[in-house]
Amino acid sequence: MEEKISVIKNLSVEEREETLIDIARILEDTAREAFVEGNRHFAVLSNNMAAAIRINADELARDDVRNAERVLQQATTMLSEFKAAHPYRLVSMAVH
């Protein structure tokens, strides 16, 4: 994902929007995983960030390339911090 952040200025508007939606989807998946693990604070933060990205993806992709780059950097930082704290992914998210 870091390589997409560095070249986001060179992407077309559609590709930028697709990248933003992809990172929102990853944030939502990570939020679900965090919730199952009991990390509700991160789950709420991640879901909120994903919702904000989805709502503003079009505007960020078209008008504000610099801000889109910042948003992607913040999202990937959040994801990498979660992965550092939880290096082993869940095999199943079933709650009994």
Side-chain angles (χ1 to χ4, degrees):
M1 189 56 69
E2 282 82 21
E3 62 275 354
K4 283 193 176 183
I5 292 172
S6 62
V7 297
I8 194 163
K9 296 172 190 146
N10 301 332
L11 298 176
S12 70
V13 173
E14 291 81 15
E15 290 171 331
R16 272 184 255 158
E17 188 172 1
E18 184 178 313
T19 301
L20 288 164
I21 297 299
D22 286 345
I23 197 76
R25 191 174 302 120
I26 293 168
L27 281 167
E28 290 168 344
D29 292 343
T30 307
R32 195 173 306 111
E33 186 176 332
F35 184 77
V36 169
E37 288 183 1
N39 191 346
R40 292 185 178 160
H41 180 70
F42 180 83
V44 169
L45 278 173
S46 186
N47 265 334
N48 288 343
M49 185 175 224
I53 291 172
R54 279 187 187 273
I55 290 168
N56 297 305
D58 182 48
E59 181 182 330
L60 284 168
R62 292 186 191 287
D63 303 334
D64 240 341
V65 178
R66 207 169 341 145
N67 284 340
E69 187 175 358
R70 282 190 206 129
V71 167
L72 286 174
Q73 286 175 339
Q74 289 174 351
T76 55
T77 300
M78 231 171 105
L79 291 169
S80 65
E81 286 177 7
F82 180 77
K83 287 180 184 177
H86 302 87
Y88 304 106
R89 297 204 47 123
L90 291 176
V91 176
S92 172
M93 291 191 201
V95 178
H96 299 279

